Amino acid sequence: YRGEIAEITGNPAPGDVLDVVDARGRFVGRGYWNPASQIAIRILSRDEGEAIDRDFFYRCLKTALAYRAVVVEEDTDACRLVNAEADFLPGLIVDRYGEYLVVQSLTLGIEKYKETVVDLLVELLSPAGIYERNDAGVRELEGLPLTKGVVYGACPPEVGFVEYGLSFWADIVNGQKTGFFLDQRENRRAVARYARGRRVLDCFCYAGGFAVHAAAAGAAEVVAVDISADALRWAARHAAANGVDGRCRFVEANAFDYLRSLVKAGESFDMVILDPPSFTKAKEAVPGAIRGYKEINLRALKLLKPGGYLATCSCSYHVAEDLFLAVVAAAARDARRELRLVEVRRQARDHPMLLAAPETYYLKCAIFQVF
Ligand code: SAH
């Protein structure tokens, strides 16, 4: 971090690669520098003999791909291939959707290697097209412009892919993130196994990922809610493509209000899924986020029949797992319900985490049985 750097020697330009040494001059690591960012240097290598060149990127990408070959199942052709720091390529995101790749270079330092990375991805994976989603707001913190477009081959705006044998499309041009919430992939399957025969409510459903997996796993009925009409159009299309539209109903509403109206109407469900957007991007906003989590979890618990399941998620890094579980426990006390903790899950393994960098562990997904 900027505050930890005593001195910059020489005359590096923003984005240049430089060496970090400790107070005694011993080599710590080699990384790229951006004085405009709080994270002034992002480490690429801890090996003093390793040059940051095309071969370096080739080795990192090979390693990242080899890991996905281990953790991503064969009935799935969409996943994250490169997850920035956790793949030792800070600032770089590469997502695969079938034959296509979507890349993000979120820092100035990695932006300089964008062409090299695109070249290597073509060499290693022969994709039909590569799309750049560099319209993510974090680029502004790095002094980079917001932009998107095709950087290799040709890309349709809607890219079909398969997740555990089910068909989806990613809206790679206008969808959230790179088009789909790939980080929830393993959780969608994990949650779906509790849905068989049940009446399911999926709140904050986006393109219907949890809803369609639950219905395909045998849910009797799925009601799915999102505030975005665009997202719901995709959700309906996904349900139809997988032959489960007869058991899915999609509702455009604010989930907070909708949950309240369901409770008021005396509705009940055997399973509720809560996957809201991050309620806070900053430490200062944690109290407000906690109120939000408590409210939706409390209302979900009021809707659940005894023996039903609650799958509740948080992607707020600043609300750590122990705090999140404590908030759900507080909601359970208020709702006078007993919760049995069935599973605590994280982001899918193709979004790896570094033990020494807690920032890389942001997604929590807790599954409870409710009594
Ligand atoms: N579960 C989804 C991802 C959810 S992302 C999946 O597996 O793909 C969060 C979603 O919450 C977004 O689609 C966003 O449109 C929606 N959202 C944000 N605020 C909302 C609100 N107040 N009520 C309902 N939906 C909301």
Side-chain angles (χ1 to χ4, degrees), residues 152-197:
Y152 171 79
C155 301
E158 304 165 359
V159 175
F161 67 92
V162 179
E163 179 177 279
Y164 300 124
L166 298 180
S167 301
F168 294 92
W169 286 270
D171 178 356
I172 62 170
V173 176
N174 294 312
Q176 298 198 37
K177 294 205 176 194
T178 62
F180 212 74
F181 288 88
L182 293 175
D183 52 357
Q184 287 282 30
R185 176 173 52 87
E186 292 176 349
N187 295 332
R188 284 190 279 267
R189 184 168 73 170
V191 167
R193 66 175 292 152
Y194 305 97
R196 194 179 180 76

Side-chain angles (χ1 to χ4, degrees), residues 64-74 79-80 164 185-186 348-352:
L65 297 179
Y67 173 67
R68 272 63 185 186
V70 173
V71 299
V72 179
E73 297 80 355
E74 276 176 10
C79 69
R80 176 150 297 184
Y164 300 124
R185 176 173 52 87
E186 292 176 349
R349 289 166 299 165
D350 53 337
H351 292 58

Side-chain angles (χ1 to χ4, degrees), residues 201 223 225 249 251 253-263:
L201 175 65
V223 179
V225 187
R249 187 156 60 83
V251 180
N254 180 325
F256 284 81
D257 300 339
Y258 192 67
L259 281 164
R260 201 176 301 130
S261 70
L262 289 171
V263 172

Side-chain angles (χ1 to χ4, degrees), residues 3-18:
E4 297 168 323
I5 298 168
E7 187 190 359
I8 301 273
T9 57
N11 227 338
D16 280 358
V17 170
L18 36 79

Side-chain angles (χ1 to χ4, degrees), residues 189-244:
R189 184 168 73 170
V191 167
R193 66 175 292 152
Y194 305 97
R196 194 179 180 76
R198 296 179 185 274
R199 181 171 197 235
V200 177
L201 175 65
D202 177 8
C203 291
F204 309 92
C205 71
Y206 187 56
F210 279 99
V212 170
H213 273 284
E221 181 192 355
V222 182
V223 179
V225 187
D226 202 279
I227 206 163
S228 156
D230 273 348
L232 292 172
R233 270 193 290 278
W234 282 107
R237 188 169 161 189
H238 292 150
N242 293 288
V244 296

